[in-house]
Amino acid sequence: MAGPGGGPPRRSHTKSRKGCESCKRRHIRCDESFPQCRNCTKHKVRCPYNDITQPDERSCSPDKPDLMWTPQIEEEINQWKVTGVFPFPHIYPAPTPCDLTLDQLRLIHHVASISEQMESLNANGFTLWTRRIPTIIQIGATYDYVLHALLAFSATHLAHLTDCPLVGNMAYEHRGIALNRLQEAIGCFSRENSDAILAASLVLSWQATDWKSWTELMQGTSTIIDAMESWKHESLFGDFIAESSTFPTGPPSPTPDHQPSQPCAADMDSYQRTLKQLQKLEHHLKQSHESPKPITQLIAFMKGSRKIVLTQPLHQQFERLRALRTWLFWLPVDMLQQSSCSPNSLVVIAHYYTAALLMERLFPDIGAAYFGSLTVKPIEEIHQRLNSSERGQTSLSFMDHPLGTVYEFRSRMGWAHPVDTPAFHQYTAPPFYMNDGSPAMVPAASPEYFYGDNVSFSYSTEDLSVPNSAVSPLQLSSPFPHSGNQQYLNIPSPYGAYSPVSSVYGDFGDAGHSDFEDSGNWTVPYSAASPVMGPASHRYSVGFVSSPIQSTWA
């Protein structure tokens, strides 16, 4: 239908009376996004949706995946299909809507809207992934394997939010397609497609649900970065490559005579300090009449981590600690959306990142799987935000321990410490002592570099070669230097008997799951004859457990 004067047709829109009260007062259209609508996020206020239950009409039906549709989202996607203009104009180019299904458009819209929300809150530096989304969408407009990796990641997040198994299956299907097509692209690696291969590898690594996939993806990503050395200045991921020394790469598979590393006294002291700090923060949140559930959940996880037997196979340790990976990716985004970057929410997020740094220390054989090294900058950026905000002064004292943990980590890695400025007051480390009571010597950081001269973990250089007699067709091709028969990706079936994104650990409200309870009723000690499989199949004894191989720690 033509508009007034025979001009272009009017834009259609969907009316709704279910907008949040804040938008109604402002007489503006609400997008009805739960639990924080976009307008409230833009104005940095708490959305009234946080205080009500989600509408019944958004519940998942048995035959339809719950993609959290709202009238506003439907309108934006319909306009995208009609006009070809992406709802987020700062992202260009965007995928062509006519080539995608409605569900796929919704998945792209979901991650793009989160990135926009974080940008409006100036909070992209507080998460592990949101600031990368615009670049990944741009690359996905040209390379389908990047797009499928992103669709899988978006579906994984929606499945986390809705607990809908059909959405989890969507994630698994897109992930399988992305892996297969990525492997084909690796066979013709070049300067032109290197950014796309790196982007897909990066997004897929965020979704790794098992130890083998993660190590292969990390080693492959590291190899790609090495291969891009001569043209890295042209890459859309130039800043990421420059910080690649902080990127956790695949640790080596242990040799048959490998003896697992046991935490030393200093590691245990750090663990105890962290646990005590979390308990203080939990008390502070209760006193502030804010929900302590995220910290209660983390305390339970920390106590449960004592019961992991370090003589277990690495893939079992990875599975037992997998909840932390899920929280590191999703919890910061959820909390920032709901709280609009309140000081206490920032402090809680910083303590989750602190726990990740501690895991790299307590579980050195698999610690890099928890992205602790990537949490250094977010912790420091959170400190700077609180330090520069009047609202953050009360919560600033709770940043002493996260900053201290970062200081120790930087010192161990030989990284320089941030320059003391008014926006970032240099952390002064307290004296730590050895078992004999003498002060511990903290290694001095070199002033020549910020992240070090190609500093990386000692276990990040594994050669994942396979024997010539058992060459897999899934290998890196000759453009990679020194690759030989190095295997990169093991392609799984895109279908499985369970949702890869389901978590037995629950969300904020499931803090007391039995896997991480500290009740003391742990009656099944580890032995070589009783391997532990699955996250909820056994309990472990508390304290040092005698075994024919080596004691575990507590």
Side-chain angles (χ1 to χ4, degrees):
M1 178 178 179
R10 287 183 176 181
R11 290 180 59 182
S12 61
H13 66 277
T14 304
K15 292 183 178 179
S16 174
R17 300 181 183 275
K18 298 179 181 180
C20 77
E21 292 300 321
S22 179
C23 289
K24 288 179 180 178
R25 286 196 302 270
R26 292 191 178 96
H27 300 288
I28 57 179
R29 184 181 302 166
C30 181
D31 69 349
E32 301 181 25
S33 294
F34 284 84
Q36 181 86 7
C37 79
R38 196 179 302 169
N39 289 325
C40 289
T41 299
K42 180 179 179 181
H43 291 89
K44 300 183 180 180
V45 297
R46 177 179 173 82
C47 183
Y49 280 153
N50 283 283
D51 303 319
I52 63 176
T53 58
Q54 297 180 5
D56 293 337
E57 64 191 43
R58 209 192 52 70
S59 60
C60 181
S61 62
D63 58 346
K64 186 176 181 181
D66 182 3
L67 297 180
M68 299 180 70
W69 287 97
T70 67
Q72 178 71 15
I73 292 172
E74 289 180 5
E75 180 184 354
E76 290 184 357
I77 290 179
N78 285 333
Q79 288 298 319
W80 181 17
K81 290 178 63 179
V82 171
T83 66
V85 178
F86 194 42
F88 308 94
H90 66 286
I91 301 177
Y92 182 84
T96 305
C98 62
D99 297 335
L100 303 171
T101 67
L102 195 61
D103 285 348
Q104 290 171 347
L105 296 178
R106 170 64 186 123
L107 293 176
I108 297 169
H109 184 283
H110 177 65
V111 288
S113 65
I114 291 175
S115 179
E116 183 191 61
Q117 283 181 313
M118 295 300 102
E119 183 65 29
S120 68
L121 294 169
N122 194 24
N124 272 323
F126 305 154
T127 76
L128 298 183
W129 58 273
T130 57
R131 67 190 176 106
R132 302 286 175 197
I133 293 301
T135 301
I136 293 167
I137 292 177
Q138 291 166 3
I139 298 174
T142 304
Y143 296 91
D144 63 348
Y145 51 90
V146 177
L147 186 61
H148 279 286
L150 185 65
L151 293 173
F153 184 71
S154 180
T156 300
H157 186 220
L158 283 167
H160 165 78
L161 295 175
T162 63
D163 200 28
C164 176
L166 295 179
V167 182
N169 289 338
M170 290 174 64
Y172 210 31
E173 181 176 359
H174 284 298
R175 192 178 304 126
I177 295 171
L179 283 164
N180 277 293
R181 295 183 182 177
L182 172 61
Q183 191 60 52
E184 295 174 3
I186 289 173
C188 53
F189 176 85
S190 67
R191 191 182 198 131
E192 287 70 30
N193 69 359
S194 57
D195 267 355
I197 291 176
L198 178 57
S201 302
L202 180 63
V203 178
L204 289 168
S205 74
W206 296 345
Q207 307 170 62
T209 57
D210 65 271
W211 175 251
K212 187 174 186 292
S213 296
W214 183 81
T215 54
E216 290 174 347
L217 282 162
M218 290 299 94
Q219 186 62 34
T221 302
S222 179
T223 306
I224 291 167
I225 292 173
D226 290 343
M228 295 173 66
E229 177 64 28
S230 62
W231 65 83
K232 63 182 181 182
H233 58 283
E234 302 174 0
S235 173
L236 294 174
F237 293 95
D239 61 332
F240 172 77
I241 294 174
E243 299 170 5
S244 61
S245 63
T246 72
F247 191 66
T249 53
S253 302
T255 58
D257 59 348
H258 172 73
Q259 293 296 317
S261 303
Q262 292 287 337
C264 65
D267 298 330
M268 294 310 303
D269 286 345
S270 182
Y271 169 85
Q272 293 296 342
R273 290 196 305 272
T274 301
L275 192 58
K276 184 179 294 185
Q277 174 71 10
L278 290 173
Q279 291 166 341
K280 289 180 180 178
L281 180 55
E282 181 184 37
H283 177 72
H284 166 73
L285 293 173
K286 291 178 180 178
Q287 292 294 105
S288 303
H289 304 290
E290 296 191 28
S291 173
K293 287 183 179 179
I295 290 300
T296 304
Q297 170 181 268
L298 185 57
I299 290 172
F301 172 86
M302 292 289 295
K303 290 181 178 179
S305 69
R306 296 183 312 172
K307 306 172 181 71
I308 306 299
V309 181
L310 295 178
T311 51
Q312 281 182 267
L314 298 186
H315 72 275
Q316 292 182 15
Q317 295 183 41
F318 179 90
E319 176 61 27
R320 292 292 299 177
L321 296 172
R322 185 161 59 95
L324 182 58
R325 280 176 59 92
T326 301
W327 295 334
L328 289 175
F329 278 98
W330 307 140
L331 180 143
V333 170
D334 294 348
M335 292 197 71
L336 292 168
Q337 286 179 316
Q338 294 177 30
S339 70
S340 297
C341 291
S342 71
N344 280 341
S345 69
L346 294 179
V347 169
V348 169
I349 292 168
H351 281 77
Y352 269 83
Y353 291 151
T354 302
L357 282 173
L358 187 62
M359 288 302 105
E360 290 199 350
R361 186 169 181 175
L362 297 179
F363 297 90
D365 289 337
I366 65 167
Y370 297 92
F371 297 94
S373 58
L374 291 184
T375 68
V376 168
K377 290 184 69 176
I379 290 173
E380 293 173 342
E381 290 196 23
I382 287 173
H383 170 264
Q384 291 185 56
R385 170 70 69 87
L386 293 174
N387 193 46
S388 61
S389 168
E390 292 184 4
R391 288 199 311 156
Q393 296 306 307
T394 303
S395 302
L396 198 56
S397 62
F398 286 96
M399 289 299 297
D400 285 350
H401 180 73
L403 285 177
T405 304
V406 167
Y407 184 95
E408 292 177 277
F409 185 85
R410 282 185 176 278
S411 297
R412 288 199 314 273
M413 297 299 295
W415 299 351
H417 297 282
V419 177
D420 189 1
T421 66
F424 192 100
H425 295 301
Q426 178 63 58
Y427 175 79
T428 302
F432 300 112
Y433 297 91
M434 306 297 285
N435 291 338
D436 59 3
S438 60
M441 297 299 293
V442 179
S446 172
E448 296 89 53
Y449 55 87
F450 187 70
Y451 282 113
D453 184 12
N454 197 27
V455 175
S456 59
F457 298 108
S458 60
Y459 46 73
S460 65
T461 57
E462 178 190 14
D463 179 12
L464 297 178
S465 301
V466 293
N468 291 334
S469 60
V471 176
S472 167
L474 310 176
Q475 295 171 344
L476 291 174
S477 58
S478 58
F480 292 91
H482 313 299
S483 62
N485 288 326
Q486 185 182 45
Q487 183 178 359
Y488 174 17
L489 299 174
N490 180 38
I491 309 300
S493 167
Y495 303 98
Y498 66 95
S499 170
V501 297
S502 61
S503 172
V504 298
Y505 307 112
D507 56 14
F508 304 154
D510 192 20
H513 191 280
S514 58
D515 275 339
F516 292 135
E517 286 177 356
D518 194 38
S519 62
N521 185 25
W522 305 72
T523 57
V524 184
Y526 172 85
S527 70
S530 60
V532 179
M533 295 297 292
S537 57
H538 287 71
R539 298 289 184 264
Y540 300 101
S541 299
V542 175
F544 285 86
V545 180
S546 298
S547 73
I549 305 174
Q550 191 169 356
S551 300
T552 189
W553 60 279

